Amino acid sequence: MHNPAEVLMKGDGLLIVDVQNDFCPGGALPIGEGDVVVPILNDWIDAAEKKGVPVYASRDFHPVRHISFKDQGGKWPAHCIEDSEGAAFHSALRLPDNVTIITKGVRFDQDQNSVFDQTGFSEQLRRDGVKRIWVGGLALDVCVLLSVLDARKAGFEVNVIMQATRPVTPEGGRESVAQMKEAGAAIIED
Ligand code: VGL
Ligand code: ZN
């Protein structure tokens, strides 16, 4: 039903959140089935390119000894260390040449789980004429959730592509869906 080629239109943007090696099986902070989102997102990317819809890809990009890491008192194992292989996008993800990359998590004093947190991303979307974003990526209950909530606060319409996202925990995923709905995001299941 939600064939990307049929639903994408002018005024849309495609946001791919943190599809990086460390969040996929074999990575430092692997999310169950994290890599299954790749072929699905590739279909969305193909359709976006054909329709002239801009594509945005965020990446978690931490300094060594980032405050979100367990050995620094944070909650996560060390992951997505800047310039490492773990921080690279999944090699099968076919990002277009004109993709806009949003780098986050680089600060020493705090984490940035939302793509909108002090990145200027909402301004970029407005400059690009984007009113509605289609969102997929990792992880549903962390960076996708917080990005979707911020997108709604900034006044963007949001469609979450459920087949193109996976949570850290199933329970976290369910709670995130409820929160995103409450915030007015559309949950696209099929
Ligand atoms: C993320 C945990 C830690 C994410 C980032 O991209 O969802 N999760 N850092
Ligand atoms: Zn992180």
Side-chain angles (χ1 to χ4, degrees):
M1 183 185 178
H2 285 90
N3 178 350
E6 284 167 18
V7 295
L8 286 178
M9 58 168 102
K10 190 171 159 21
D12 283 350
L14 175 63
L15 173 61
I16 298 170
V17 177
D18 299 5
V19 179
Q20 294 166 271
N21 290 326
D22 272 346
F23 295 128
C24 291
L29 205 175
I31 289 153
E33 299 185 335
D35 55 342
V36 308
V37 306
V38 172
I40 295 157
L41 286 168
N42 283 339
D43 287 345
W44 285 86
I45 291 166
D46 287 348
E49 281 193 279
K50 288 196 184 96
K51 293 278 177 91
V53 163
V55 178
Y56 306 90
S58 68
R59 59 179 182 176
D60 210 32
F61 217 64
H62 296 310
V64 291
R65 297 177 288 111
H66 189 244
I67 57 158
S68 74
F69 298 169
K70 271 181 191 150
D71 58 7
Q72 305 295 319
K75 78 183 271 197
W76 307 109
H79 64 279
C80 295
I81 291 178
E82 51 195 359
D83 292 324
S84 69
E85 191 51 32
F89 291 114
H90 190 290
S91 62
L93 186 67
R94 290 198 305 267
L95 293 175
D97 291 339
N98 64 353
V99 65
T100 299
I101 292 174
I102 305 120
T103 301
K104 62 179 182 59
V106 297
R107 295 187 58 127
F108 292 109
D109 57 339
Q110 60 162 96
D111 205 358
Q112 290 159 284
N113 282 321
S114 163
V115 174
F116 292 87
D117 185 5
Q118 303 164 82
T119 59
F121 184 45
S122 55
E123 280 72 12
Q124 182 63 49
L125 287 173
R126 288 194 190 101
R127 272 204 298 280
D128 293 345
V130 172
K131 300 203 161 28
R132 178 174 73 168
I133 55 172
W134 295 80
V135 185
L138 306 169
L140 174 60
D141 46 351
V142 187
C143 289
V144 171
L145 169 66
L146 291 165
S147 299
V148 165
L149 296 180
D150 276 353
R152 291 296 302 139
K153 281 181 204 146
F156 297 99
E157 275 181 63
V158 182
N159 289 341
V160 183
I161 310 164
M162 289 304 291
Q163 291 179 356
T165 183
R166 288 292 183 279
V168 177
T169 67
E171 189 195 355
R174 284 189 293 274
E175 281 168 14
S176 299
V177 167
Q179 280 187 61
M180 294 188 299
K181 276 187 187 162
E182 178 71 28
I187 307 300
I188 309 298
E189 300 276 2
D190 57 352

